[in-house]
Amino acid sequence: MNADGVFSLPNADFSTKVPMEHLDYDFIAKCKDVKYLEKILRILRSGEEGIYPHLIKFCESHLEKLSPKSRALRQGVPVATEASFSKDEWNQIIDDLRTWEEETKNAETLLKQESVFDDLDRAKIPPVRSSRCFAPVKEKSFPKQRTNPPKRFLPRDYQEWDKFNVEEECNKIDGDMQKNDPPAILNTGHPNIQREVDSSCLSQQEKLLLANREKDKGNEAFRAKDYEEAVAYYSRSLSIIPTLSAYNNRAQAEIYLEHWNDAMRDCQQVLELEPGNKKALLRRATVYNNIGNFEMASKDLRKVLQEEPNNAAATQLLSKIEQKMSDCQPSQRSKGKKILIEEVEEDLSFAEKEQKEQKACPVQPSQPVGGEESSAAPAERGDMGNAQKKPHSRGDGGPHSESSNSHHGHWKGKGATSDKYKVPEESKEKVANGSSKRGSTASAQGDKKSSSSKAATGGKKAEETVNLDAPCGALPPHLSRLKNEGNLLFKNGQFADALEKYSQAIQGYADSGIDSPQDLCILYSNRAACYLKDGNSQDCIQDCTRALELQPFSLKPLLRRAMAYESLERYRKAYVDYKTVLQIDISVQAAHDSVNRITRVLIEQDGSEWREKLPDIPLVPLSAQQHRREEPPSEEVLQARAQKASEDAERRAEIRFSALKQEGNEFVKKGQYQEALGKYTECLKLKPKECAIYTNRALCYLKLERFTEAKQDCDAALGLERDNKKAFYRRALANKGLKDYLACSSDLQEVLRLDPNVQEAEKELEEVTVLLRQSLANSVNDKPRKAVPITEVDGDEETPDVPNRRDDLSINLTPGSSYEFGQSLNAARCSGNTAACAELLASIEPELLPRYLSNQLDGHTIGFIMKALDSHLLGKNPNLVYRHLERLHTADRFQVVFMQLEDHERRSVTQLFERLSAVESSEFTQGDVHNLANKYV
């Protein structure tokens, strides 16, 4: 029996002791099983069978070839002893130890001899209280203790209290106290930060990381409005690796510091690296504006607007620069110059000087002076130069009012005069009409000129140029005229008069009986704009609500109602309306700014749970979304959205699946198997191909003794993973519960084949084997015996057995399928007709025998086949017998069934192999028969 024969056994068990003949060079060289070699190596190292150093090394080298990372090859380093060192090394170690011991003893002796109080005189430290040790300290080493002053008697009556000088007593007390503390020094100076970093020894990746850190420090200082420190950190970052963002950020900080030359230099550096950088162009334009070079500033701003037409900061700055240029042109054409002589003080501040200089070249009131806040800079410092629009005031249709009385009451605007609004601005009209968008920046200067001309000529010329009889939708002519008059009055700033016109048009609409909800919605929306201008937020909300009832999801009424809500501090409703506006048209910048502003207010008011207190935000249909109607999404966008939706659905399903699985596992730990069963079932609805869920649910079924369902889940798991140990083991338990011991033992055998170290499977297999034998014995004893009729015949008649003849007639000796072969074999076995069984085996190919026996293999069948081969077929065709025996042991469950043979059946198998080995054949040798016998006996 060699190594190949041993390791070809399917049920080879190496848990027993290793035989002595396996501790051999030849066996170890042929052995391919790593675990068995590790066991042999452990036995050789233990010395149980003797000490063989060369054999141990040979086994280690062979194991290293098969598994270089085997744990058995690891060896601990032995503890070093005297024998591990040379004589000189050992003497050196001994000398070092003795020297250390002597030094330790000397130090300890010195510490004991030294007095504890030797340094008290020098340190002027008083003796410790409650100490029994006497400290020989000189008296002069301690300051003289102050004796208690004589006891003062307090006054006893009012006259003495009148004579008592409180200030004198306080001075005496203060005089006894000496203030020796030095005055505090306040470090008010700015820290001196080195602006260059030595990075010559760093790699490129380290330089990039360090440069980003320095830039982040500069950003923090910029947000804290410490621009000098920000410039220092940006300079440090640039000294390591020059980047566009660092140059741009340093330029913005230098603009705030009014270092125009340095800012210009940084902008030039960025434009040399990237000629079309918009931030650099915008900031260089800011520098040009502050140094008075308006032509170069406008040139840079036009380049920015060519790349980004909706850039609000560039548009605003360009309009201001063009206004400056138009205002300064008449003064340049004049022949003489006006000299303004004023007496000023020497300590005049920079801002006051700028105010004096503005008289020579007037600018707009909103223009920043002296370059403190450049026109291209944001409204608040610290935002790294990203422009933002200022919040709208109530005067321009926005939510904020100039007067503080709007929150305490509401007032009608009908009594207001037209003199209150003399110089309207076109930008304010656009916001009031709800049309403030990112793209509404074209022809700004032309609008300003037209508005100024209207204001100069008055309302009469406007009436002459505007056709008041123009048709307006489905409105009758008289209502169209009222609406046009109201629009003209609104543009001229006469909001109270426009309010009356819109009210008359609404009343006329109700009296005329026409049906045009769109026109009525526009009238209510326009009147709401008038209410909003006059500060009557309550009526504005009512008109906007009526307009939205007529035309749901109309943009202008929603925007105006949101502004009115915000002015009344109804921030939650304002937030909902602004978000609805953004659903309709995402380009409304006023809504974006208001949402950000209200979000901060709600966070301060309601804390982290502010979203839960909001009303429901309505979903706007696609037909009402303007930004969706303008450009239908392309196929790529639709595919991206579908992919994102599927990814979101998968992510939500994954989260839901993990939560359900975790809940099911928790229920299993608590023993609540019915609840866990429901969780695992929901998991399978989300992921029907998750093998672990099937095995977990099978465990719950086993605990609830629902063995059929458990077997079905294990079958499903094995369909997904063919080598799942848990599924085999739990199906074995299910088969045991169903009393199918043969299938149970087969599954347990599979578990041990996949992992021989599963002790639970070994114990279950032993128990199931006993139960299987008992069940087979009971089935044999419980079979009813048939009554055989006995008939008298004449002695000279020679007839064969009647049962055999009948069985011969019913046995199909040429089966074409497993079913026909099983029927024929059962018929032959029940009648005990071994000759028919031999003919049946001779009629089929040996390769088909394992497949034909896979469904009906048991111990009695194997014994009957062995008997038929031995008694009838061995003498006729021994080669066929050898071929059948070579294939028979490969049938399913053969090893399990073979273990259940009785002793006499095993003896018959041994006898068959002995007779077969005595046969001389050209197809097999005696050694082949012995090797084949090892797989049976």
Side-chain angles (χ1 to χ4, degrees):
M1 185 175 180
N2 56 11
D4 296 335
V6 170
F7 293 106
S8 62
L9 289 176
N11 62 340
D13 185 9
F14 302 128
S15 60
T16 58
K17 189 175 181 181
V18 176
M20 187 63 185
E21 56 268 18
H22 292 179
L23 306 179
D24 183 63
Y25 286 96
D26 295 337
F27 182 86
I28 293 173
K30 295 179 180 180
C31 182
K32 305 297 182 183
D33 192 281
V34 176
K35 294 185 178 179
Y36 196 65
L37 280 175
E38 290 176 352
K39 189 170 184 179
I40 292 174
L41 182 59
R42 285 195 294 269
I43 292 175
L44 290 174
R45 287 176 177 174
S46 64
E48 296 178 1
E49 303 295 341
I51 300 175
Y52 308 98
H54 297 287
L55 183 60
I56 292 172
K57 292 182 179 179
F58 179 77
C59 184
E60 289 176 351
S61 62
H62 185 61
L63 179 60
E64 187 176 2
K65 294 178 182 178
L66 297 177
S67 178
K69 297 182 180 180
S70 177
R71 297 177 65 88
L73 297 175
R74 302 177 184 177
Q75 296 184 9
V77 179
V79 179
T81 59
E82 183 178 358
S84 304
F85 301 95
S86 63
K87 185 176 181 180
D88 296 337
E89 292 175 346
W90 182 254
N91 291 334
Q92 181 66 29
I93 293 172
I94 295 298
D95 293 340
D96 291 342
L97 290 174
R98 288 175 181 172
T99 303
W100 173 79
E101 184 179 4
E102 291 176 358
E103 291 177 354
T104 305
K105 289 182 179 179
N106 294 333
E108 186 178 0
T109 304
L110 292 174
L111 289 174
K112 290 181 179 180
Q113 293 176 355
E114 187 177 358
S115 176
V116 181
F117 302 101
D118 286 346
D119 297 333
L120 287 178
D121 187 15
R122 294 189 300 271
K124 298 182 180 181
I125 299 175
V128 182
R129 279 186 214 170
S130 304
S131 176
R132 295 181 180 180
C133 299
F134 174 74
V137 184
K138 299 178 181 180
E139 293 182 358
K140 63 180 181 180
S141 62
F142 295 99
K144 293 183 178 180
Q145 297 182 357
R146 187 177 59 188
T147 58
N148 293 329
K151 188 175 182 181
R152 297 185 179 92
F153 295 97
L154 296 176
R156 291 174 293 177
D157 54 6
Y158 290 105
Q159 294 180 356
E160 293 184 2
W161 274 112
D162 293 338
K163 298 177 182 179
F164 185 73
N165 192 346
V166 179
E167 294 182 358
E168 184 179 353
E169 294 295 330
C170 291
N171 292 331
K172 291 180 180 179
I173 295 173
D174 294 338
D176 295 337
M177 298 175 61
Q178 296 180 359
K179 296 182 179 179
N180 297 323
D181 296 336
I185 300 174
L186 298 178
N187 186 11
T188 58
H190 200 277
N192 187 12
I193 301 175
Q194 295 182 1
R195 301 200 174 193
E196 293 185 0
V197 179
D198 185 11
S199 58
S200 58
C201 299
L202 301 178
S203 63
Q204 187 66 22
Q205 186 175 3
E206 292 173 343
K207 288 181 180 179
L208 181 61
L209 180 61
L210 185 58
N212 289 333
R213 287 182 180 176
E214 296 297 328
K215 187 183 70 173
D216 292 340
K217 292 179 183 178
N219 295 344
E220 293 178 2
F222 192 99
R223 287 191 288 270
K225 300 182 180 180
D226 192 348
Y227 303 113
E228 293 182 1
E229 185 175 348
V231 169
Y233 282 117
Y234 290 142
S235 302
R236 289 170 61 87
S237 177
L238 291 170
S239 67
I240 301 170
I241 294 181
T243 58
L244 297 178
S245 58
Y247 276 122
N248 270 327
N249 295 352
R250 189 170 72 173
Q252 185 64 36
E254 288 164 347
I255 287 174
Y256 284 130
L257 293 173
E258 301 176 5
H259 299 165
W260 311 119
N261 294 331
D262 295 338
M264 178 66 71
R265 184 174 61 254
D266 286 342
C267 294
Q268 294 291 354
Q269 290 286 345
V270 175
L271 293 173
E272 288 177 3
L273 296 174
E274 185 179 344
N277 192 282
K278 293 188 289 295
K279 285 187 177 181
L281 289 172
L282 186 61
R283 289 166 188 173
R284 189 173 70 173
T286 304
V287 176
Y288 280 139
N289 178 36
N290 284 277
I291 63 179
N293 194 347
F294 300 128
E295 293 182 0
M296 296 299 296
S298 62
K299 185 178 179 181
D300 286 344
L301 291 174
R302 288 191 177 91
K303 289 182 181 179
V304 174
L305 291 175
Q306 286 179 0
E307 297 289 335
E308 189 177 350
N310 298 331
N311 193 311
T315 305
Q316 183 181 4
L317 182 57
L318 181 60
S319 63
K320 292 182 179 180
I321 290 175
E322 290 177 349
Q323 183 67 30
K324 287 182 183 180
M325 293 173 68
S326 63
D327 292 341
C328 292
Q329 281 177 359
S331 62
Q332 292 176 0
R333 294 195 195 102
S334 61
K335 296 181 180 179
K337 295 184 179 180
K338 294 182 180 181
I339 300 175
L340 181 64
I341 302 174
E342 293 184 355
E343 294 181 359
V344 296
E345 297 179 359
E346 294 180 356
D347 57 348
L348 196 62
S349 64
F350 180 79
E352 292 173 349
K353 291 179 181 179
E354 291 293 333
Q355 291 176 0
K356 298 295 183 180
E357 292 174 0
Q358 286 176 6
K359 294 181 179 180
C361 186
V363 295
Q364 295 181 358
S366 60
Q367 177 186 349
V369 295
E372 285 187 318
E373 291 187 11
S374 63
S375 56
E380 295 180 0
R381 292 185 177 180
D383 55 357
M384 299 302 296
N386 298 324
Q388 296 179 355
K389 290 187 177 180
K390 295 183 179 180
H392 301 277
S393 63
R394 185 174 299 172
D396 59 357
H400 297 289
S401 173
E402 295 176 358
S403 65
S404 60
N405 300 328
S406 61
H407 300 314
H408 305 287
H410 312 292
W411 49 277
K412 302 285 184 179
K414 294 182 179 181
T417 61
S418 60
D419 297 336
K420 183 177 178 181
Y421 308 96
K422 286 296 182 182
V423 186
E425 294 181 10
E426 190 65 24
S427 60
K428 297 183 179 182
E429 295 165 8
K430 291 182 179 180
V431 177
N433 293 329
S435 61
S436 174
K437 298 183 180 180
R438 294 178 183 175
S440 60
T441 57
S443 67
Q445 189 176 0
D447 293 338
K448 289 184 178 180
K449 292 181 179 179
S450 62
S451 62
S452 61
S453 63
K454 288 180 181 179
T457 56
K460 293 182 180 181
K461 288 187 179 180
E463 290 179 1
E464 293 175 1
T465 57
V466 176
N467 185 12
L468 297 178
D469 295 327
C472 297
L475 293 176
H478 67 285
L479 297 181
S480 298
R481 183 175 181 82
L482 288 174
K483 179 183 176 183
N484 291 332
E485 290 176 354
N487 293 344
L488 183 59
L489 292 170
F490 188 91
K491 290 180 181 179
N492 292 332
Q494 302 173 6
F495 305 116
D497 297 336
L499 181 63
E500 293 180 359
K501 296 296 182 180
Y502 291 137
S503 300
Q504 292 175 10
I506 292 172
Q507 184 64 34
Y509 180 92
D511 297 339
S512 62
I514 61 175
D515 186 13
S516 179
Q518 184 176 3
D519 293 327
L520 184 58
C521 173
I522 294 173
L523 291 174
Y524 276 120
S525 178
N526 291 352
R527 192 171 73 172
C530 296
Y531 282 134
L532 187 63
K533 287 291 185 178
D534 283 343
N536 191 352
S537 301
Q538 194 65 37
D539 289 343
C540 175
I541 292 171
Q542 293 179 2
D543 277 0
C544 291
T545 305
R546 292 171 188 168
L548 291 171
E549 290 174 356
L550 296 169
Q551 292 289 328
F553 303 111
S554 183
L555 183 65
K556 292 182 180 180
L558 275 171
L559 187 61
R560 290 164 185 167
R561 189 173 69 174
M563 294 178 180
Y565 276 137
E566 187 176 4
S567 67
L568 296 177
E569 296 185 359
R570 300 180 185 177
Y571 296 115
R572 297 189 183 95
K573 292 185 178 181
Y575 182 87
V576 171
D577 282 348
Y578 280 129
K579 295 294 284 186
T580 309
V581 168
L582 292 177
Q583 289 186 61
I584 298 172
D585 189 355
I586 200 172
S587 63
V588 180
Q589 186 63 29
H592 282 288
D593 298 339
S594 300
V595 165
N596 296 334
R597 184 171 57 254
I598 293 176
T599 300
R600 292 192 293 269
V601 174
L602 290 176
I603 291 174
E604 294 176 359
Q605 178 179 332
D606 300 331
S608 59
E609 300 178 354
W610 66 277
R611 292 185 184 273
E612 300 177 0
K613 299 181 180 180
L614 289 175
D616 295 334
I617 300 175
L619 294 177
V620 178
L622 293 176
S623 59
Q625 297 182 14
Q626 296 181 7
H627 60 280
R628 295 185 184 275
R629 289 202 305 267
E630 292 174 358
E631 294 182 1
S634 61
E635 295 182 358
E636 297 179 356
V637 174
L638 292 176
Q639 291 178 359
R641 290 176 184 172
Q643 183 178 0
K644 185 177 184 301
S646 62
E647 291 176 356
D648 293 341
E650 290 178 1
R651 184 172 63 255
R652 289 193 296 269
E654 184 67 28
I655 295 172
R656 176 67 176 164
F657 175 81
S658 301
L660 290 172
K661 183 180 178 182
Q662 184 65 27
E663 292 176 3
N665 295 341
E666 293 296 331
F667 281 131
V668 169
K669 292 178 183 179
K670 297 177 182 178
Q672 301 175 3
Y673 301 107
Q674 189 64 40
E675 291 79 0
L677 195 63
K679 298 297 181 182
Y680 290 140
T681 303
E682 293 182 14
C683 285
L684 290 175
K685 292 179 182 178
L686 297 174
K687 287 188 176 182
K689 293 185 179 181
E690 192 70 21
C691 181
I693 302 301
Y694 281 110
T695 55
N696 291 356
R697 193 171 71 169
L699 176 62
C700 298
Y701 280 133
L702 290 174
K703 295 295 183 180
L704 297 173
E705 297 184 357
R706 297 167 61 177
F707 302 112
T708 304
E709 292 89 341
K711 184 177 179 181
Q712 292 176 357
D713 279 355
C714 292
D715 291 338
L718 290 173
L720 298 171
E721 292 184 13
R722 298 180 60 184
D723 296 334
N724 192 294
K725 294 185 291 184
K726 288 185 178 181
F728 276 118
Y729 181 73
R730 289 170 185 173
R731 190 173 72 173
L733 296 180
N735 288 325
K736 181 181 177 182
L738 296 172
K739 297 184 179 179
D740 188 358
Y741 302 121
L742 191 60
C744 176
S745 61
S746 177
D747 288 339
L748 292 173
Q749 192 70 20
E750 285 293 329
V751 175
L752 293 174
R753 182 184 67 82
L754 295 171
D755 189 358
N757 298 325
V758 182
Q759 299 179 358
E760 294 83 355
E762 293 179 358
K763 294 179 182 178
E764 288 290 339
L765 183 59
E766 294 175 359
E767 183 179 352
V768 169
T769 303
V770 175
L771 294 174
L772 182 59
R773 289 180 179 176
Q774 292 177 358
S775 64
L776 292 176
N778 294 334
S779 64
V780 172
N781 296 331
D782 293 342
K783 283 184 179 179
R785 297 186 179 182
K786 296 181 180 180
V788 179
I790 301 174
T791 57
E792 294 181 358
V793 297
D794 295 336
D796 56 351
E797 289 186 5
E798 202 173 31
T799 58
D801 282 339
V802 176
N804 289 341
R805 181 181 297 171
R806 291 175 182 175
D807 291 336
D808 291 340
L809 295 175
S810 62
I811 296 175
N812 182 12
L813 298 180
T814 58
S817 63
S818 301
Y819 177 76
E820 293 178 359
F821 179 83
Q823 294 293 328
S824 301
L825 183 60
N826 288 335
R829 193 186 70 178
C830 293
S831 61
N833 192 349
T834 56
C837 179
E839 293 180 10
L840 183 64
L841 293 173
S843 64
I844 65 171
E845 293 294 330
E847 290 78 6
L848 300 176
L849 184 61
R851 182 163 60 87
Y852 284 171
L853 291 175
S854 60
N855 296 328
Q856 52 188 355
L857 192 63
D858 56 19
H860 297 291
T861 302
I862 292 178
F864 184 70
I865 291 174
M866 293 293 182
K867 187 176 181 181
L869 293 174
D870 188 13
S871 57
H872 297 283
L873 201 59
L874 182 61
K876 297 179 182 179
N877 193 350
N879 294 332
L880 183 61
V881 172
Y882 178 79
R883 291 170 58 194
H884 274 303
L885 291 174
E886 193 177 20
R887 297 291 181 178
L888 179 60
H889 71 89
T890 62
D892 292 343
R893 302 183 296 178
F894 175 81
Q895 299 297 334
V896 178
V897 175
F898 195 81
M899 294 170 59
Q900 303 165 4
L901 294 179
E902 301 293 338
D903 293 339
H904 67 279
E905 294 174 341
R906 290 179 180 273
R907 285 194 296 271
S908 64
V909 174
T910 305
Q911 183 180 356
L912 172 62
F913 277 101
E914 289 177 355
R915 294 182 60 187
L916 183 63
S917 63
V919 176
E920 295 182 359
S921 175
S922 59
E923 294 186 4
F924 59 89
T925 61
Q926 187 176 3
D928 295 336
V929 175
H930 284 299
N931 292 334
L932 185 60
N934 292 332
K935 301 176 182 179
Y936 285 87
V937 181

